[in-house]
Amino acid sequence: AAGLLHDVIEETRPEGREEARREIREQVSPEALALVEGVTDQDPEAGWYVRKDAYLERLKTAPRDALAVSCADKLDNSLWLIEVVRTQGKDGLKRFNSPIVSKVAYHAAVAEVTARRWPDCPILPAFREVLDDLRRVADGVEAGQGGGR
């Protein structure tokens, strides 16, 4: 359930976030809420780098299963970034509020925190494999190859 709900709180308007938390706690479980909180940007209004640093700090103490939710989310995000570059080239990245190399570094940091806390996390090998693909794509963008059209 937490995997499906992982973005609900941060994508809810500020005035509705406490209600979203209450609904997850009451309609799903307090454990699911703890996992969702572990992978939620707590201050969606803050800048990208501030949010991601805080996220990484939270992962260091979040419930262990939150690491699997986080890795699955970042794996999916990595696949999407790869597809954006392959289909739209470097121009497709203009919509993001951080460069692709920063996203790679952030995703790598999520993998590192996970590996330290839960070396046998079942999603970690697949996430690392996709992360390697994302690194190659990012290296191509930085080299001016840009992928895509």
Side-chain angles (χ1 to χ4, degrees), residues 33-142:
L33 177 60
L35 295 176
V36 170
E37 290 283 14
V39 298
T40 293
D41 281 340
Q42 298 297 319
D43 185 5
E45 315 308 318
W48 189 86
Y49 294 97
V50 171
R51 289 193 331 266
K52 301 315 168 190
D53 285 346
Y55 182 98
L56 290 168
E57 283 303 309
R58 260 191 330 286
L59 273 187
K60 292 176 183 177
T61 59
R64 192 175 85 158
D65 286 344
L67 298 168
V69 173
S70 180
C71 284
D73 180 37
K74 302 313 173 233
L75 184 154
D76 183 60
N77 292 350
S78 295
L79 288 170
W80 185 60
L81 284 166
I82 291 166
E83 184 64 19
V84 166
V85 172
R86 288 190 177 147
T87 60
Q88 301 171 34
K90 189 174 184 174
D91 288 344
L93 298 172
K94 290 179 182 176
R95 72 179 98 171
F96 300 108
N97 50 10
S98 65
I100 193 167
V101 294
S102 295
K103 292 186 179 305
V104 170
Y106 167 58
H107 288 191
V110 169
E112 289 171 23
V113 169
T114 302
R116 273 195 307 272
R117 289 199 54 216
W118 190 12
D120 297 327
C121 176
I123 194 79
L124 188 57
F127 176 38
R128 284 181 162 159
E129 185 176 321
V130 171
L131 182 56
D132 287 342
D133 291 342
L134 181 60
R135 278 190 188 101
R136 284 189 285 279
V137 168
D139 289 346
V141 167
E142 292 301 305

Side-chain angles (χ1 to χ4, degrees), residues 1-9 11 24 28 32 35-36 39 69 72-73:
L4 294 173
L5 298 170
H6 74 276
D7 281 337
V8 167
I9 295 170
E11 292 181 0
I24 293 170
V28 183
L35 295 176
V36 170
V39 298
V69 173
D73 180 37

